[in-house]
Every structure is written in structure tokens, then in C-alpha cells.
């Protein structure tokens, strides 16, 4: 297969889809510290793939290797169909990289940062000004364009950083913890930008230590722990790996409660609060079966809530409880 041809993987409909990033057995050590211990990655084009893990898990090292900033000690990788080891220039031409430590120069204006990036991409002055103006408008930075970047808020600097990355029109973008240090509003704004990029056909490799971020954005998530991938899948697939899901029925009528408690199997009773807890994976099939049984038995619960394991549970189960923020605005139980 020629190196310029992007490899493919199978979509859910059985048809091949391009693979933007593929890696097999990537290894990296610094001295006697193994940072990456043979990880495999396969990222379909036009998707968001999240590397989720605590500080020190190896996320940033993986991004540095795939963006040609650091050489791997072992393994092979292709980015945009180009071999990482033999075609680093072609890889660099196809990607954009935005890190948690901004590349924005605070001593010059936002517009000057954009024009500098246009020069680095060898755009003509006219084309550079056009691209800079379009991207500044797209990221809502037109009014601040002629102010020193040092005066920008954290969210504005991050938007400018991504705008600078897009000057070269990359089809693959590595976002290394792009919302670290941002307030909740700025973080949600950044999520909107990332979704917009993917809608436009861009592939995003996102590293994050925020569970909610991976859950909200990623098509697939790899949980990275101590240099190894502990598990990989969609958010829902990962959640199903962890036991503990259940349905809780609450009653106000003691008779209805007793009737349901005596008829349901594998139920945990709480006679004081008149609630029953039934093991369940929260699937539509299981919920329909339970509701059908309640209807057939003439039993009416006053409240039904579903608890399914979330990414907090997944992370702590797979990694032994690394230092990862939880998701305070995402309740575990959803009333139905």
C-alpha cells in the first residue's frame, strides 16, 4: 500500500472508512521510567477520539510522538496515511497541534499572531489577511483582533490558539488538554468549537483528564493508565464494563410496595423509605420488560429512577482511582 493512501477500517454498516491515525506498539521511556508501554490506536477519519487519563498517564507523550515532536522508542504509526518515521514532513503538513500551554505570543496582537502563522504556511500577504480575518470572525475574536494577546482571557487565548492551528487547513488536529484551566462557560464554548470542526470533516485526537469532556465529545475513548490502555470503546460500551447499574422504584402506597417486593426477583428492599432496588444495565429492553411487568401486575410505582455506571465509575474501576476530577454537573441518577 503506498504511504500516501490512508488505511481503512470497517464502519458499522460494513463499508470501509478511512483511518486518520493508526499506531501499533508505541513505546517511550525516559531513563528507567516507561511512559508509553506498547499502546495501539486506530482513529477513524472525521471522529473525535479521546485519550482519558490522569496527569502522568502518558497522554501528552502520545501526542508528541504522533505529531513528530518526539521519537518513539518502538512501534509503528501512520498519520493521514503517512509513516511517522519515514515521512515526518508529510505528517506535519497534514496536522495541527494545540496544547494546554498556548503557542500564542502575548506581546503582539491576535491579528499579528494569525498573520505570523500565515507567513509560516507560506501564504501570500493577501491570502494570509483573508484567512486571518475569516478565522478571527469564526472564533468571535474580530473585536479583540488588534489588542495585545496578553490582554485576552484564558478562553480567548485558547480560541486564538485553535484559530492559528487552522490557518494551514489541517484535516487532523491534536488537542492536548484544550480546556485545562478554563471556567465552565469557556469549556462549553470550546466543546462547541470542537464539534463544529468535526462536522466540517476534521479528525480530532483529544487528550483530557476531564471525564465529562470525554463523555460529551468523544466517539471513542481509550482509558490510559500508567502508559497502557486499560480499556477502549464508546462511552456507553465502557460504562457497560462496570457492574452496579440498577433501577430504583419508590412507592407511597405500602400495599403496592409489598406486592412489588414479593413478586420481583433479585430485589433489594428498603422498608423505611418504601423503595426497591433492582439490578439492571439500564437498557431499553430491560426497562421495557420491567414496565410491562408492572403494568401486567397492576402495580404503579410513584417514581422510577435509573442508575447506570458513568465514566467516573469506569475510570476508578480501571485505574485504581487516579487523580481525575469528577463531573459535578452530571448527576448519576436520571429520573424517568
Amino acid at each position: 500500500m503506498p504511504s500516501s493512501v490512508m488505511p481503512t477500517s470497517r464502519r458499522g454498516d460494513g463499508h470501509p472508512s478511512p483511518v486518520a491515525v493508526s499506531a501499533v506498539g508505541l513505546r517511550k521511556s525516559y531513563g528507567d521510567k516507561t511512559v508509553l508501554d506498547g499502546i495501539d490506536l486506530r482513529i477513524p477519519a472525521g471522529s473525535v477520539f479521546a485519550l482519558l487519563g490522569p496527569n502522568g498517564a502518558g497522554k501528552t507523550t502520545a501526542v508528541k510522538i504522533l505529531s513528530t515532536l518526539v521519537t518513539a522508542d518502538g512501534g509503528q504509526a501512520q498519520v493521514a496515511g503517512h509513516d511517522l518515521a519515514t515521512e515526518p514532513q508529510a505528517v506535519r503538513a497534514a496536522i495541527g497541534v494545540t496544547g494546554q500551554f498556548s503557542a500564542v505570543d502575548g506581546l503582539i496582537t491576535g491579528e499579528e499572531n494569525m498573520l505570523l502563522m500565515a507567513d509560516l504556511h507560506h501564504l501570500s500577504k493577501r491570502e494570509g489577511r483573508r484567512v486571518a480575518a475569516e478565522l478571527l470572525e469564526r472564533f468571535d475574536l474580530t473585536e479583540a483582533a488588534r489588542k495585545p494577546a496578553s490582554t485576552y482571557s484564558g478562553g480567548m487565548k485558547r480560541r486564538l490558539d485553535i484559530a492559528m492551528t487552522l490557518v494551514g487547513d489541517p484535516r487532523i488536529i491534536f488537542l492536548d488538554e484544550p480546556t485545562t484551566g478554563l471556567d465552565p462557560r469557556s469549556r462549553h464554548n470550546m466543546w462547541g468549537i470542537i464539534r463544529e470542526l468535526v462536522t466540517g470533516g476534521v479528525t480530532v485526537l483529544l487528550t483530557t483528564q476531564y471525564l465529562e469532556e470525554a463523555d460529551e465529545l468523544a466517539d471513542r475513548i481509550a482509558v490510559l493508565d500508567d502508559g497502557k490502555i486499560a480499556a477502549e470503546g464508546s462511552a456507553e460500551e465502557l460504562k457497560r464494563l462496570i457492574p452496579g447499574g440498577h433501577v430504583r422504584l419508590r412507592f407511597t402506597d405500602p400495599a403496592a410496595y409489598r406486592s412489588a417486593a414479593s413478586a420481583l426477583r433479585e430485589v433489594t428492599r428498603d422498608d423505611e423509605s418504601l423503595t426497591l432496588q433492582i439490578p439492571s444495565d439500564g437498557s431499553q429492553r430491560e426497562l421495557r420488560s420491567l414496565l410491562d411487568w408492572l403494568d401486567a401486575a397492576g402495580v404503579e410505582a410513584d417514581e422510577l429512577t435509573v442508575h447506570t455506571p458513568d465514566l467516573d465509575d469506569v475510570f476508578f474501576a480501571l485505574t485504581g482511582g487516579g487523580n481525575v476530577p469528577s463531573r459535578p454537573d452530571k448527576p448519576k441518577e436520571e429520573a424517568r
Side-chain angles (χ1 to χ4, degrees):
M1 180 180 65
S3 62
S4 60
V5 177
M6 195 175 290
T8 62
S9 65
R10 289 285 167 182
R11 296 192 308 230
D13 58 9
H15 292 87
S17 60
V19 175
V21 178
S22 63
V24 178
L26 283 188
R27 298 181 179 276
K28 184 66 180 178
S29 298
Y30 293 100
D32 59 357
K33 170 65 174 176
T34 299
V35 182
L36 290 180
D37 193 7
I39 69 168
D40 300 339
L41 297 172
R42 198 165 183 83
I43 305 175
S47 67
V48 179
F49 188 97
L51 278 178
L52 173 66
N55 290 331
K59 304 186 303 296
T60 296
T61 298
V63 168
K64 286 182 176 179
I65 290 174
L66 293 171
S67 57
T68 76
L69 296 175
V70 169
T71 303
D73 296 335
Q76 297 177 326
Q78 284 193 334
V79 177
H82 302 288
D83 186 87
L84 208 62
T86 61
E87 303 174 277
Q89 282 295 115
V91 170
R92 286 192 282 271
I95 66 172
V97 183
T98 298
Q100 55 178 307
F101 303 106
S102 176
V104 172
D105 186 341
L107 298 178
I108 60 178
T109 68
E111 182 180 52
E112 288 168 338
N113 270 284
M114 294 293 293
L115 294 175
L116 177 61
M117 190 60 64
D119 286 342
L120 291 174
H121 284 282
H122 308 293
L123 301 183
S124 68
K125 289 192 179 297
R126 181 176 181 180
E127 180 69 2
R129 285 194 296 269
R130 182 189 68 79
V131 170
E134 287 182 357
L135 287 169
L136 287 167
E137 181 178 3
R138 178 179 176 184
F139 288 94
D140 195 23
L141 292 168
T142 302
E143 289 186 11
R146 300 196 174 181
K147 297 178 182 178
S150 60
T151 65
Y152 288 12
S153 68
M156 292 170 67
K157 286 181 181 176
R158 210 60 60 85
R159 296 204 308 273
L160 177 59
D161 204 11
I162 293 183
M164 292 165 61
T165 299
L166 294 180
V167 168
D169 194 27
R171 306 316 294 162
I172 301 172
I173 296 180
F174 300 135
L175 298 179
D176 187 22
E177 302 199 22
T179 65
T180 295
L182 297 186
D183 61 77
R185 182 181 298 275
S186 296
R187 181 172 295 132
H188 280 265
N189 288 340
M190 187 61 63
W191 292 351
I193 290 171
I194 293 170
R195 292 188 183 102
E196 183 181 322
L197 291 174
V198 176
T199 299
V202 173
T203 304
V204 173
L205 170 58
L206 169 76
T207 75
T208 183
Q209 57 176 315
Y210 293 115
L211 298 157
E212 182 189 13
E213 188 157 273
D215 204 353
E216 284 282 338
L217 295 176
D219 299 295
R220 292 188 69 78
I221 300 167
V223 179
L224 193 61
D225 181 48
D226 198 24
K228 297 180 180 180
I229 293 179
E232 181 187 329
S234 68
E236 292 308 312
E237 288 170 343
L238 291 178
K239 291 170 188 177
R240 286 198 293 269
L241 293 176
I242 308 302
H246 61 266
V247 172
R248 183 173 297 165
L249 302 176
R250 187 182 64 81
F251 298 83
T252 55
D253 179 1
Y257 167 73
R258 289 192 296 270
S259 175
S262 63
L264 286 169
R265 297 179 179 179
E266 299 181 30
V267 65
T268 302
R269 298 175 54 148
D270 185 335
D271 294 340
E272 185 175 340
S273 61
L274 300 183
T275 60
L276 302 175
Q277 185 170 300
I278 307 158
S280 171
D281 62 7
S283 67
Q284 183 177 345
R285 176 182 55 79
E286 282 203 1
L287 289 177
R288 183 183 294 116
S289 176
L290 175 60
L291 292 173
D292 287 345
W293 180 90
L294 291 173
D295 287 341
V299 175
E300 184 171 342
D302 294 279
E303 184 179 287
L304 182 152
T305 55
V306 179
H307 173 101
T308 54
D310 59 18
L311 283 184
D312 299 62
D313 303 313
V314 172
F315 185 87
F316 289 117
L318 293 175
T319 67
N323 182 25
V324 174
S326 61
R327 303 181 299 168
D329 57 342
K330 180 83 169 179
K332 291 185 178 181
E333 292 199 354
E334 301 173 3
R336 297 294 175 99

